[in-house]
C-alpha cells in the first residue's frame, strides 16, 4: 500500500498548482462579488490539457485515472479557488466519462475532443424541483416525433450549473411514461445535445455561495433533439448515470478536503500574527487544539477518498468507500471553514479575509451531490445489510 504520489501524480499536482498561483484569492473574491464566470481560469486548465485527464489518448486525453483527477481537483480547491474554481470545469471533466463508456464511436469522436478542449461548454440537466434526489420521479419528457425523426424535449430542470454560458447540455428525460415501465428507474433516456435557447428559458437562481458559477432553472418548451444525440439505449439513461455516481462523490470529497486545508492555512497564519493581551492567539491551546483537530479529521477523510479513487481505478467496488469519503470530507471541510472564521474573530466575517467565502462554499458538500443522511442510509444498507429506510 502506497501513501505517496508517484512521479506522474506529483507532476499533476505541481502543474495544476502553478496554474492556480496565477489566480489568487483576490481573483476568486472578485468573481464571487461580481457573479462572473471564471473563464480565464477554465480556459487555462483546458489549454494545459487537464480537462482530459481521465480520457484515453486517442480522444485527446492524458489517459490517467481518477486518482490523478482527484489530485487535480483537490489542488484547485486547496489553492483558494474552492468550489467556484472546481465547478467551472466539473461538467467538462465528468461528462466525457459517461460518453466514453456508453456513447457510440461516432459520438465519442464528435464530442469528447471538443469538451476537453473547452470548445464546447456543457451544462448538466438532471435535477427537478418535484423529484429532488428521487431521480426516478423526474417528469421531463422526450417524446419521439416520427415525422421529423427527432425527440421533442419539454419540462423543467433546476440547479443546472453553468447554463448561462453553456452551448451543450447532458440531460435526462423520460421517453417512456413511468406507468408503462416495470420499474420507475426504467424509461429514462440520456441525451447530450445543443442547448438551444430558442426553446429553453434560463433563469439564474440567487444563492448562498459559489456565485461565480451560475445555477439555474431551465424551462424547455419543445426543444428538438436529434436521434444521434441519444446516448446508448433508450430507457437506460438512469443506469448510465448511476454508474458515474461513485466517481463524482470521490471528487467531491477531495475538493472538500482541499477547501478545508485552505481554511486551516489562513487560520494558522492569522493565529501566528494576531496578538491579543500581549501574545499571539496561536499560543493558546484553545486555538491550537481546534486547528490540530481539524487537520486530523481532514487527513482521515483524505485517506478514505484516495482509497476509494484507487479502488475505482482498479475496477473494484468502491461504493461504501466513496460515500464514506464524501460524508467524512463534507463534515471535516465544513468544520475547518467554520473554525477558521471563529479564529479570525470579527475579521472572519469580513470578505477581505476570504474565510467567510470558504464557509459558504463548504456548505455545498453537505447537501450535494447527495445529502449526508442518505450517505448514512446507503452505508447502513450496503455494509451492514440493514433494511432500506426510504
Amino acid at each position: 500500500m502506497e501513501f505517496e504520489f508517484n512521479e506522474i501524480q506529483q507532476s499533476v499536482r505541481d502543474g495544476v498548482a502553478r496554474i492556480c498561483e496565477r489566480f489568487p484569492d483576490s481573483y476568486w473574491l472578485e468573481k464571487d462579488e461580481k457573479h462572473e464566470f471564471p473563464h480565464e481560469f477554465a480556459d487555462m486548465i483546458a489549454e494545459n490539457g487537464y480537462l482530459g485527464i481521465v480520457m484515453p489518448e486517442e480522444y485527446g486525453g492524458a489517459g490517467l485515472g481518477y486518482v490523478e483527477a482527484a489530485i487535480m481537483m483537490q489542488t484547485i480547491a486547496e489553492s483558494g479557488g474552492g468550489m467556484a474554481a472546481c465547478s467551472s470545469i466539473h461538467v467538462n471533466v465528468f461528462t466525457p466519462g459517461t460518453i466514453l463508456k456508453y456513447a457510440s464511436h461516432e459520438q465519442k469522436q464528435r464530442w469528447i475532443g471538443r469538451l476537453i478542449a473547452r470548445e464546447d461548454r456543457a451544462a448538466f440537466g438532471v435535477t427537478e424541483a418535484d423529484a429532488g434526489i428521487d431521480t426516478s420521479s423526474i417528469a421531463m419528457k422526450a417524446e419521439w416525433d416520427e415525422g421529423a425523426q427527432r425527440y421533442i424535449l419539454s419540462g423543467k430542470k433546476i440547479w443546472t450549473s453553468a447554463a448561462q454560458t453553456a452551448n451543450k447540455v447532458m440531460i435526462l428525460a423520460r421517453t417512456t411514461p413511468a406507468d408503462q415501465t416495470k420499474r420507475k428507474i426504467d424509461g429514462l433516456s440520456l441525451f447530450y445535445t445543443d442547448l438551444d435557447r430558442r426553446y429553453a428559458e434560463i433563469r439564474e437562481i440567487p444563492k448562498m455561495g459559489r456565485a461565480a458559477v451560475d445555477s439555474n432553472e431551465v424551462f424547455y418548451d419543445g426543444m428538438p433533439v436529434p436521434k444521434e444525440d441519444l446516448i446508448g439505449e433508450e430507457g437506460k439513461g438512469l443506469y448510465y448515470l448511476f454508474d458515474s455516481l461513485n466517481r463524482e462523490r470521490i471528487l467531491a470529497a477531495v475538493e472538500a478536503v482541499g477547501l478545508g486545508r485552505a481554511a486551516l492555512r489562513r487560520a494558522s497564519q492569522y493565529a501566528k500574527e494576531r496578538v491579543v493581551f500581549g501574545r499571539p492567539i496561536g499560543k493558546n491551546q484553545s486555538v491550537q487544539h481546534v486547528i490540530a483537530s481539524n487537520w486530523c479529521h481532514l487527513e482521515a477523510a483524505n485517506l478514505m477518498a484516495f482509497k476509494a479513487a484507487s479502488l475505482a481505478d482498479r475496477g473494484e467496488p468502491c461504493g461504501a468507500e466513496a460515500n464514506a469519503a464524501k460524508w467524512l470530507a463534507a463534515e471535516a471541510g465544513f468544520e475547518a471553514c467554520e473554525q477558521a472564521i471563529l479564529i479570525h474573530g470579527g475579521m472572519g466575517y469580513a470578505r477581505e479575509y476570504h474565510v467567510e467565502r470558504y464557509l459558504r462554499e463548504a456548505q455545498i458538500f453537505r447537501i450535494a451531490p447527495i445529502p449526508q443522511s442518505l450517505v448514512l442510509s446507503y452505508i447502513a444498507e450496503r455494509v451492514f445489510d440493514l433494511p432500506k429506510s426510504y
Side-chain angles (χ1 to χ4, degrees):
M1 184 177 292
E2 297 290 337
F3 290 95
E4 299 294 331
F5 294 152
N6 62 34
E7 185 176 347
I8 292 175
Q9 292 163 349
Q10 189 60 50
S11 71
V12 169
R13 183 168 177 83
D14 292 344
V16 173
R18 283 193 294 271
I19 294 173
C20 291
E21 286 172 0
R22 303 180 64 172
F23 300 91
D25 274 317
S26 57
Y27 171 86
W28 297 108
L29 176 59
E30 180 181 6
K31 293 299 181 184
D32 187 70
E33 291 179 337
K34 293 183 177 180
H35 292 210
E36 290 180 352
F37 193 94
H39 289 295
E40 305 90 345
F41 170 79
D43 285 342
M44 190 165 290
I45 291 290
E47 289 165 7
N48 284 271
Y50 287 110
L51 290 185
I53 194 165
V54 297
M55 289 297 103
E57 294 180 10
E58 65 178 296
Y59 297 113
L64 300 176
Y66 277 88
V67 168
E68 289 77 21
I71 292 169
M72 176 181 76
M73 300 308 289
Q74 184 174 81
T75 303
I76 291 170
E78 191 174 340
S79 74
M83 276 301 288
C86 292
S87 296
S88 72
I89 62 172
H90 259 166
V91 177
N92 281 51
V93 173
F94 287 137
T95 301
T98 303
I99 292 171
L100 180 67
K101 189 163 184 179
Y102 295 107
S104 68
H105 178 69
E106 182 276 330
Q107 289 173 325
K108 294 173 190 177
Q109 294 282 2
R110 182 156 50 100
W111 294 334
I112 292 179
R114 292 183 59 83
L115 272 169
I116 63 180
R118 206 166 175 263
E119 294 171 357
D120 285 333
R121 299 170 184 171
F124 194 61
V126 174
T127 306
E128 296 183 9
D130 293 333
I133 57 173
D134 182 10
T135 310
S136 63
S137 295
I138 69 169
M140 170 166 277
K141 296 179 181 179
E143 298 179 306
W144 178 246
D145 183 339
E146 184 64 34
Q149 289 291 293
R150 63 187 182 183
Y151 293 93
I152 302 299
L153 211 65
S154 298
K156 182 178 78 170
K157 296 293 183 181
I158 195 169
W159 297 115
T160 301
S161 293
Q164 294 290 330
T165 58
N167 67 308
K168 290 283 189 177
V169 61
M170 180 170 280
I171 194 162
L172 187 69
R174 184 162 288 285
T175 46
T176 303
D179 59 6
Q180 296 178 23
T181 61
K182 292 182 178 179
R183 296 183 296 177
K184 285 175 62 178
I185 60 174
D186 295 329
L188 292 162
S189 298
L190 190 63
F191 302 89
Y192 179 72
T193 192
D194 292 336
L195 179 53
D196 191 337
R197 283 169 165 75
R198 294 174 299 175
Y199 304 92
E201 180 186 353
I202 303 170
R203 300 179 189 172
E204 186 169 358
I205 302 170
K207 57 186 188 294
M208 177 180 176
R210 205 204 66 177
V213 179
D214 51 280
S215 298
N216 305 274
E217 291 181 289
V218 185
F219 300 83
Y220 295 90
D221 186 10
M223 190 175 87
V225 178
K227 185 176 183 179
E228 55 264 31
D229 288 352
L230 169 69
I231 295 175
E233 294 182 47
E234 185 177 293
K236 300 292 185 181
L238 192 53
Y239 295 95
Y240 302 156
L241 287 181
F242 281 164
D243 189 50
S244 67
L245 294 182
N246 289 331
R247 291 165 178 79
E248 181 184 20
R249 289 165 195 180
I250 291 167
L251 297 188
V254 296
E255 291 163 13
V257 170
L259 187 57
R261 286 175 174 172
L264 286 192
R265 183 175 63 245
R266 284 195 165 270
S268 60
Q269 186 61 41
Y270 188 82
K272 296 171 188 174
E273 299 170 352
R274 175 61 170 155
V275 176
V276 179
F277 298 120
R279 55 190 275 157
I281 62 172
K283 194 172 183 178
N284 300 322
Q285 286 187 347
S286 60
V287 172
Q288 292 181 354
H289 289 182
V290 166
I291 292 174
S293 174
N294 290 160
W295 181 87
C296 291
H297 293 161
L298 286 169
E299 293 307 304
N302 195 55
L303 288 173
M304 180 63 84
F306 276 96
K307 177 183 179 180
S310 180
L311 289 170
D313 281 343
R314 296 201 301 267
E316 298 180 23
C318 64
E321 291 81 2
N323 278 275
K326 187 271 179 188
W327 190 93
L328 290 166
E331 295 299 314
F334 183 85
E335 180 184 61
C337 292
E338 181 181 48
Q339 289 298 331
I341 287 182
L342 297 178
I343 288 169
H344 278 75
M347 298 315 296
Y349 210 65
R351 290 195 170 189
E352 66 179 288
Y353 282 81
H354 302 286
V355 288
E356 64 83 29
R357 174 171 59 86
Y358 295 171
L359 181 65
R360 288 186 283 113
E361 294 192 352
Q363 184 67 272
I364 298 172
F365 298 110
R366 304 171 88 191
I367 302 169
I370 182 174
Q372 297 292 79
S373 56
L374 278 186
V375 169
L376 297 179
S377 293
Y378 176 93
I379 293 172
E381 295 160 20
R382 302 303 178 92
V383 177
F384 297 101
D385 198 30
L386 294 174
K388 191 172 183 177
S389 59
Y390 56 94

